[in-house]
Amino acid sequence: MSKTSPTIGSIKLLYDLPQVTIRTRSVSEMDNNVYLITSKTTGSQVLIDAADEPDAIMELLASAADDTPCDLDLVSLITTHEHWDHIRALADIVDRTQVPTSAGAPDADAIEEATGVTAKVRLKHGDKAQFPGIELDVIGLRGHTPGSVALVYVPNGDEPTIIFSGDSLFPGGVGNTWNDPDRFSSLIDDVSQRVFNKYDDDTVVLPGHGGSTVLGTERPHVEQWRERGW
């Protein structure tokens, strides 16, 4: 798979919230979603999953200049999990920006082996990733990979909570566990207990591929997912 595959998605402003904006761009033949959170009050930016096509990602970063009067400052690049399709531009973006990176602790060594990039922060379930003007809660969702993490932005006002779920939760089910019953049990349990049991129905889920959903749409089907085994 080439890093020169054409960008398949334009830059989209998903949410214009009082404190932050959230932009996204789909890259690569795998339709990977790259997400960007920008603080309106500080200019700080957090990039989620440098999946592929570094030039397209740099355009995404620059596009947020319209979202804040402050100078843009990429302060963190967080990788949701170790799979190759989510890390192909990681080394290039780090080389261009010198940004520190974070990843779930059990996946960090595999990411370093594949990309040469050492995670400055190894994330654990229950951590808070705090940056100027941006705070994200970390949810460990074990099963798709051992160290998969979701990141939760909780707005200060009445706007819905937003979960960046990586490849652990999609519209219609949890992520792929390759017919491994132990991995599936781990993932469905974590998603049930750490996501559905904690967050309200209007919580938005932004996955690593494809379109978004809300927990209220998916909640009635979770036990069906468990019964079917995927």
Side-chain angles (χ1 to χ4, degrees):
M1 301 296 184
S2 170
K3 286 189 177 181
T4 60
S5 57
T7 300
I8 64 173
S10 59
I11 296 168
K12 297 177 182 178
L13 176 58
L14 292 180
Y15 292 96
D16 185 2
L17 303 176
Q19 301 299 317
V20 304
T21 60
I22 298 173
R23 290 176 175 263
T24 188
R25 188 168 204 170
S26 173
V27 298
S28 88
E29 73 287 353
M30 298 288 288
D31 189 21
N32 288 82
N33 294 322
V34 182
Y35 294 106
L36 176 67
I37 308 169
T38 301
S39 168
K40 292 182 174 181
T41 58
T42 69
S44 294
Q45 296 180 295
V46 175
L47 187 74
I48 298 174
D49 283 348
D52 200 4
E53 301 184 58
D55 288 344
I57 292 175
M58 295 303 294
E59 291 176 0
L60 174 63
L61 292 169
S63 72
D66 296 334
D67 301 340
T68 173
C70 305
D71 292 335
L72 297 178
D73 181 19
L74 182 62
V75 293
S76 183
L77 195 167
I78 304 177
T79 303
T80 60
H81 64 289
E82 66 184 48
H83 284 160
W84 66 277
D85 60 309
H86 288 257
I87 60 175
R88 285 183 284 182
L90 180 61
D92 200 321
I93 295 299
V94 169
D95 184 60
R96 296 190 196 195
T97 65
Q98 301 301 302
V99 64
T101 69
S102 302
D107 282 8
D109 287 343
I111 293 170
E112 182 173 3
E113 182 177 353
T115 66
V117 175
T118 302
K120 180 178 180 180
V121 179
R122 295 185 173 221
L123 300 169
K124 303 181 295 298
H125 175 68
D127 284 351
K128 287 187 179 294
Q130 295 177 305
F131 313 99
I134 301 171
E135 181 175 303
L136 301 170
D137 293 337
V138 178
I139 306 175
L141 297 174
R142 302 158 293 185
H144 183 67
T145 67
S148 288
V149 293
L151 305 160
V152 185
Y153 177 74
V154 183
N156 293 326
D158 295 332
E159 300 82 11
T161 299
I162 297 172
I163 299 178
F164 303 88
S165 62
D167 284 2
S168 293
L169 178 60
F170 294 94
V174 296
N176 195 345
T177 53
W178 291 272
N179 298 314
D180 183 322
D182 291 334
R183 290 173 66 177
F184 174 75
S185 178
S186 176
L187 182 54
I188 194 71
D189 284 348
D190 278 355
V191 166
S192 297
Q193 297 164 13
R194 297 178 175 183
V195 177
F196 284 97
N197 286 357
K198 183 171 181 180
Y199 296 99
D200 295 335
D201 281 351
D202 64 352
T203 299
V204 175
V205 177
L206 299 179
H209 306 263
S212 63
T213 187
V214 295
L215 291 187
T217 299
E218 310 302 328
R219 192 183 305 277
H221 308 293
V222 174
E223 290 310 309
Q224 297 172 18
W225 304 346
R226 187 185 296 275
E227 291 172 6
R228 77 187 183 190
W230 56 274

